[in-house]
């Protein structure tokens, strides 16, 4: 298996068939109390009924403020967490039901790029070992000599000098380390990569380099990305479709341009309004929609629509009825009956 | 690396001078001297002239600076002189007991490491399960139990158990035989104190290993290792444990150095003629030459073990470089 072998075709745009289908995903963490007899006193509903699909060669952005459950969704897809309920179907197989053997296969198909390039690389291992370890344990390349060649190739693809293989992580800069993280993720020829805030720990100039690298790699190898981020401008640049999360739920999902140009959900509007415009005159003139209050605790979320306590358009019904994602226009769904005009 | 090692060894000199001045002054601040103890110990009337002669012979009447100068020259030329009490050379007194003490220290360390590393790791992996609780109980008990009491219990237990099993009680040998001469006799004597100190030692190391592992297991690179699809065993042994070892090595080093010369009570309980006992006797008898030499030796051991630990760091952790 080589890099060249994994190129599927030249068409890099979104394709109809879904590679990953997440359906009704719930991840509730128990909150326990007590010294010896630990009893569950509550549930942190980090992810509460999330559904979306990611097509082959597509990039889905997952945005939302800190603590809204974006990362947990990514970790459930990777099965670094065992979801409480719901399905994660990858390539036709349910990730949650996989046994050890199938999991090893999944680890080759689904990879992850973590947020912090400083802590996500083992400080005691040389770069070459870090990148070649998956190749060795999965038995992808058994010959050590060939493994070294592959490591050099991966480093080259990610824009690093192959000599870096003999270095330790602490001898490299943040951008270089993140490239190592990407090379490591690529080593097993995955089909799907979860980018968990992959650029948020980097300087803006380095961010641009890494984003371009991710784009180039997608064009070359036709990966699908789940791009988890809170930086909306990065998401707009990189993603084909974007899902907006609030308190464990997706509130709006649309094509990237549609979402940014025509946001419908009050939360999405507020989120986009918070992005500064790099022109002082426009920034001064435009109206900001500032949300009041704090994000409620996911242990005790509000009734009905979880956004209603902060929503400028909330009605009595919002306190009562839990909204579901419904189609606004083709390809644009949102969970707000008020906007959809279904109330009163 | 070599430069660093030499620099560290040279740094031993001021450390030794400081310790030397301290012990020299402290010993002379204690009221009474060896001659009074030796001659007065009989309970008979003491002849003042005899004490004077004794002091003259041992050089106690020399001025303080001269006494210190003699001591310093002795240390510098590695000629430590004779014990004031027995009259035998200090090096000989120490050499007789060093083998026993060193052996018990090594055995205790081995026992501790063999028990502590797996226990600490398991405890961290199975955090807040009954296995973790058992190991924590084991280690808290080890820290809380005084070694002398544990030693007495070990001896009693041995006597009672052998009485039950063989009809007559078996007691470990009291005289020391070198392990090279007669391993069986040697081990049947030394294994019990080694186990006794090893338990407390292990208890401390378990706690350190556990907390270091708990910290490392939450690191992002361990999550990266999981995402790579490695087996849990590989993640724990190769990714996590290596990173958790640093504080554990430090602790083992300090504890080991302490065992050379600090085993006073355990040696008393097991009736061992080791360095700890020699140390206490020397202080009680106001044996200046012996006490001072032993302090110098213990300081040197501490410094050297610490140097060794620091050099081990560089070997374990590539981020540490000495130049």
């Amino acid at each position: 298996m080589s890099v060249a072998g994994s190129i599927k075709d030249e068409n890099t745009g979104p394709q109809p068939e879904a590679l990953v289908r997440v359906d009704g995903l719930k991840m509730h963490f128990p909150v326990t109390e007590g010294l010896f007899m630990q009893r569950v006193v509550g549930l942190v509903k980090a992810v509460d009924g999330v559904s979306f699909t990611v097509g082959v060669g597509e990039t889905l952005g997952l945005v939302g403020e800190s603590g809204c459950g974006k990362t947990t969704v990514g970790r459930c897809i990777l099965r670094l967490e065992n979801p409480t309920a719901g399905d994660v179907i990858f390539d036709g197989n349910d990730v949650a039901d996989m046994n050890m053997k199938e999991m090893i296969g999944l680890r080759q198909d689904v990879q992850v790029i973590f947020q912090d390039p400083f802590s996500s690389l083992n400080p005691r291992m040389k770069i070459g070992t870090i990148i070649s370890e998956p190749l060795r344990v999965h038995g992808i390349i058994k010959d050590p000599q060939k493994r070294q060649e592959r490591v050099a190739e991966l480093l080259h693809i990610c824009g690093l000098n192959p000599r870096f293989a003999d270095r330790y992580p602490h001898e490299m800069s943040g951008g270089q380390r993140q490239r190592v993280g990407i090379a490591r993720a690529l080593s097993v020829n995955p089909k799907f990569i979860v980018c968990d805030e992959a650029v948020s720990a980097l300087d803006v100039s380095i961010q641009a380099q890494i984003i371009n690298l991710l784009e180039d790699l997608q064009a070359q190898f036709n990966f699908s990305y789940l791009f988890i981020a809170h930086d909306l401008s990065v998401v707009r640049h990189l993603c084909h479709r974007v899902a907006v999360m609030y308190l464990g739920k997706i509130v709006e999902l649309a094509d990237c341009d549609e979402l940014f140009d025509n946001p419908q959900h009050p939360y999405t509007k507020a989120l986009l309004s918070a992005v500064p415009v790099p022109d002082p005159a426009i920034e001064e003139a435009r109206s900001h929609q500032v949300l009041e209050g704090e994000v409620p605790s996911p242990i005790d979320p509000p009734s009905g629509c979880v956004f209603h306590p902060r929503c400028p358009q909330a009605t009595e019904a919002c306190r009562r009825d839990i909204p579901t994602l419904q189609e606004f226009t083709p390809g644009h769904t949102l969970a707000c009956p008020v906007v959809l005009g279904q109330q009163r | 690396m070599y430069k660093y090692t030499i620099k560290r060894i040279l740094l031993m000199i001021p450390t030794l001078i400081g310790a030397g001045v301290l012990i020299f002054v402290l010993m002379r601040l204690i009221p009474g001297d060896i001659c009074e103890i030796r001659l007065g110990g009989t309970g008979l009337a003491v002849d003042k002239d005899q004490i004077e002669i004794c002091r003259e012979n041992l050089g106690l009447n020399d001025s303080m600076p001269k006494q210190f100068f003699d001591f310093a020259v002795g240390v510098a030329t590695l000629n430590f002189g004779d014990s004031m009490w027995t009259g035998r050379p200090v090096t000989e007194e120490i050499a007789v007991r060093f083998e026993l003490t060193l052996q018990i220290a090594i055995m205790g360390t081995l026992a501790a490491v063999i028990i502590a590393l797996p226990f600490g790791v398991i405890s961290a992996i199975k955090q807040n399960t009954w296995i973790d609780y058992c190991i924590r109980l084991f280690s808290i008990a080890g820290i809380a139990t005084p070694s002398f009491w544990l030693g007495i219990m070990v001896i009693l237990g041995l006597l009672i158990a052998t009485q039950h099993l063989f009809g007559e009680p078996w007691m470990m040998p009291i005289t020391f035989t070198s392990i090279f001469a007669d391993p069986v006799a040697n081990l049947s004597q030394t294994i019990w104190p080694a186990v006794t100190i090893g338990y407390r030692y292990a208890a401390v190391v378990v706690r350190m290993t556990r907390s270091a592992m708990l910290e490392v297991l939450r690191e992002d690179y361990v999550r990266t290792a999981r995402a790579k699809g490695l087996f849990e065993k590989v993640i724990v042994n190769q990714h996590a444990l290596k990173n958790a070892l640093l504080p554990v090595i430090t602790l083992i080093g300090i504890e080991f150095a302490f065992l050379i010369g600090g085993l006073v009570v355990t040696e008393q309980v097991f009736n061992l003629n080791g360095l700890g006992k020699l140390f206490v006797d020397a202080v009680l008898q106001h044996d200046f030459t012996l006490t001072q030499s032993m302090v110098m030796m213990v300081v040197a051991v501490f410094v050297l073990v610490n140097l060794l630990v620091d050099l081990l760091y560089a070997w374990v952790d590539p981020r540490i470089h000495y130049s």
Side-chain angles (χ1 to χ4, degrees):
Chain A
M1 253 192 178
S2 71
V3 171
S6 68
I7 300 177
K8 288 171 190 88
D9 58 12
E10 294 304 311
N11 179 8
T12 56
Q15 287 171 8
E17 78 265 35
L19 182 66
V20 181
R21 176 184 298 281
V22 175
D23 200 10
L25 182 72
K26 288 186 181 179
M27 182 72 229
H28 295 178
F29 296 100
V31 181
T32 55
E33 211 171 65
L35 200 57
F36 296 107
M37 304 291 287
Q38 295 211 327
R39 61 211 160 79
V40 177
V41 293
L43 289 173
V44 175
K45 294 177 178 170
V47 178
D48 201 21
V50 162
S51 305
F52 58 83
T53 58
V54 185
V56 174
E58 187 188 30
T59 304
L60 176 71
L62 196 56
V63 298
E65 55 200 304
S66 303
C68 72
K70 314 181 287 272
T71 298
T72 312
V73 170
R75 296 182 63 158
C76 286
I77 295 173
L78 292 159
R79 224 185 117 178
L80 292 173
E81 306 280 359
N82 284 320
T84 314
D87 297 322
V88 176
I89 314 285
F90 178 82
D91 228 0
N93 302 311
D94 192 342
V95 172
D97 294 339
M98 284 186 173
N99 58 28
M100 278 295 279
K101 209 171 168 186
E102 290 167 323
M103 280 296 297
I104 290 170
L106 179 78
R107 291 276 178 256
Q108 293 181 38
D109 288 336
V110 181
Q111 271 300 324
V112 56
I113 302 165
F114 290 109
Q115 171 174 14
D116 185 354
F118 291 91
S119 62
S120 62
L121 302 177
N122 190 332
R124 304 288 159 81
M125 286 185 155
K126 286 184 177 167
I127 301 303
T129 322
I130 290 173
I131 298 175
S132 66
E133 198 179 25
L135 298 172
R136 186 173 52 83
V137 294
H138 291 303
I140 295 170
I141 301 176
K142 296 208 168 68
D143 177 35
Q145 185 60 38
K146 287 211 175 108
R147 264 207 307 267
Q148 271 187 8
E149 286 165 16
R150 170 79 172 144
V151 168
E153 188 187 349
L154 284 162
L155 286 170
H156 180 72
I157 292 171
C158 293
L160 292 172
N161 191 319
R163 281 201 317 257
F164 279 116
D166 284 330
R167 292 211 188 166
Y168 284 103
H170 68 272
E171 295 165 327
M172 309 176 82
S173 72
Q176 288 171 334
R177 285 175 179 220
Q178 194 62 310
R179 286 170 192 269
V180 171
I182 294 170
R184 194 218 80 238
L186 295 186
S187 64
V188 291
N189 292 325
K191 295 177 185 156
F192 181 60
I193 299 180
V194 176
C195 305
D196 185 359
E197 306 261 9
V199 295
S200 24
L202 305 172
D203 292 346
V204 180
S205 58
I206 311 288
Q207 276 192 7
Q209 292 175 14
I210 298 291
I211 289 163
N212 289 337
L213 174 64
L214 289 173
E215 275 188 322
D216 293 347
L217 291 170
Q218 187 172 45
Q220 202 176 348
F221 303 118
N222 207 26
F223 302 131
S224 306
Y225 290 129
L226 176 67
F227 196 81
I228 300 170
H230 56 254
D231 187 337
L232 296 171
S233 43
V234 171
V235 169
R236 178 164 203 176
H237 178 80
L238 196 66
C239 297
H240 300 112
R241 287 190 304 143
V242 180
V244 181
M245 276 186 82
Y246 182 77
L247 215 62
K249 291 181 179 358
I250 290 181
V251 294
E252 188 163 7
L253 202 165
D255 284 348
C256 189
D257 290 335
E258 165 79 2
L259 187 102
F260 280 90
D261 296 337
N262 187 20
Q264 289 301 319
H265 195 281
Y267 177 67
T268 314
K269 285 182 184 167
L271 200 65
L272 293 179
S273 151
V275 179
V277 178
D279 181 337
I282 300 175
E283 179 69 23
E284 191 81 11
R286 75 190 183 116
S287 67
H288 285 270
Q289 187 193 342
V290 180
L291 284 180
E292 286 179 14
E294 296 281 318
V295 183
S297 158
I299 299 177
D300 186 20
S303 61
C305 172
V306 284
F307 188 57
H308 84 258
R310 303 172 76 192
C311 180
Q313 302 174 21
T315 64
E316 202 47 48
C318 294
R319 290 176 207 283
R320 210 176 47 230
D321 306 329
I322 298 173
T324 51
L325 270 182
Q326 291 180 26
E327 192 165 86
F328 175 67
T329 54
H332 187 165
T333 54
L334 76 149
C336 184
V338 176
V339 173
L340 288 163
Q342 291 172 348
Q343 282 179 8
R344 302 206 174 162
Chain B
M1 189 85 152
Y2 293 111
K3 245 184 173 172
Y4 174 82
T5 313
I6 290 165
K7 210 166 84 187
R8 283 285 299 266
I9 290 176
L10 286 179
L11 266 174
M12 270 177 82
I13 296 168
T15 316
L16 283 172
I17 291 175
V21 170
L22 205 65
I23 191 63
F24 182 85
V25 172
L26 283 178
M27 282 311 286
R28 279 155 185 81
L29 283 178
I30 309 173
D33 64 27
I34 191 166
C35 297
E36 286 173 10
I37 294 170
R38 176 177 282 166
L39 297 169
T42 54
L44 302 169
V46 182
D47 188 348
K48 283 254 162 55
D49 298 340
Q50 256 184 321
I51 290 184
E52 225 19 68
I53 294 165
C54 166
R55 281 182 181 155
E56 195 60 49
N57 286 342
L58 292 176
L60 292 175
N61 282 340
D62 295 345
S63 69
M64 287 290 158
K66 180 166 189 313
Q67 285 188 41
F68 186 77
F69 181 75
D70 289 344
F71 162 51
V73 168
V75 172
T77 56
L78 295 180
N79 174 19
F80 294 97
D82 300 335
S83 160
M84 289 182 172
W85 189 264
T86 60
R88 281 198 296 270
V90 167
T91 40
E92 196 179 291
E93 293 282 359
I94 293 176
V96 180
R97 294 159 174 94
F98 191 73
E99 190 184 345
L100 170 73
T101 300
L102 183 70
Q103 192 194 336
I104 290 177
I106 290 174
M107 283 169 67
T109 307
L110 278 180
V113 171
I114 289 168
I115 299 170
L117 283 186
F119 270 33
V121 170
I122 292 168
S123 187
I125 297 171
K126 306 271 179 199
Q127 193 195 5
N128 292 337
T129 61
W130 64 271
I131 302 174
D132 181 31
Y133 287 131
C134 289
I135 292 175
R136 278 157 76 182
L137 190 72
F138 164 87
S139 86
I140 284 282
I143 294 168
T145 312
S147 336
F148 72 85
W149 182 82
L150 187 66
I152 295 168
M153 288 303 120
V154 166
I155 295 171
L156 267 180
L158 260 182
L159 289 172
I160 295 168
T162 46
Q163 168 92 55
H164 266 280
L165 287 173
F166 310 117
E168 62 181 74
W170 175 84
M171 189 64 196
M172 63 208 72
I174 288 174
T175 44
F176 178 69
T177 20
S178 169
I179 189 160
F180 304 109
D182 184 353
V184 177
N186 171 284
L187 287 178
S188 62
Q189 181 193 23
T190 52
I191 198 147
W192 311 107
V195 165
T196 306
I197 56 163
Y199 178 39
R200 197 199 67 85
Y201 196 162
V204 181
V205 179
V206 164
R207 290 191 70 79
M208 182 60 91
T209 312
R210 178 177 181 272
S211 62
M213 276 301 282
L214 280 178
E215 208 179 309
V216 170
L217 283 173
R218 278 169 184 63
E219 291 282 352
D220 283 354
Y221 52 79
V222 172
R223 199 177 52 186
T224 309
R226 290 222 168 85
K228 278 181 182 176
L230 304 184
F231 288 111
E232 200 59 28
K233 215 170 87 183
V234 180
I235 295 172
V236 169
N237 291 339
Q238 289 181 17
H239 287 253
L241 186 59
K242 256 190 178 171
N243 281 288
L245 271 183
L246 221 52
V248 178
I249 291 177
T250 317
L251 186 68
I252 290 174
I254 293 172
E255 287 280 327
F256 179 80
F258 168 76
L259 290 184
I260 309 283
L263 268 186
V264 179
V265 186
T266 312
E267 282 178 3
Q268 205 77 42
V269 168
F270 285 96
N271 215 343
L272 298 171
N273 194 10
L275 287 179
K277 190 170 175 300
L278 181 69
F279 214 150
V280 173
D281 288 345
V283 174
L284 288 179
Q285 291 154 355
H286 292 224
D287 190 339
F288 292 166
T289 43
L290 186 54
T291 313
Q292 285 162 182
S293 308
M294 288 196 71
V295 168
M296 293 291 108
M297 182 199 75
V298 170
V299 170
V301 167
F302 258 96
V303 173
L304 287 176
V305 168
N306 271 321
L307 172 63
L308 199 70
V309 166
D310 284 351
L311 294 179
L312 266 179
Y313 280 178
W315 181 63
V316 174
D317 190 341
R319 282 172 301 182
I320 298 175
H321 258 291
Y322 299 123
S323 53

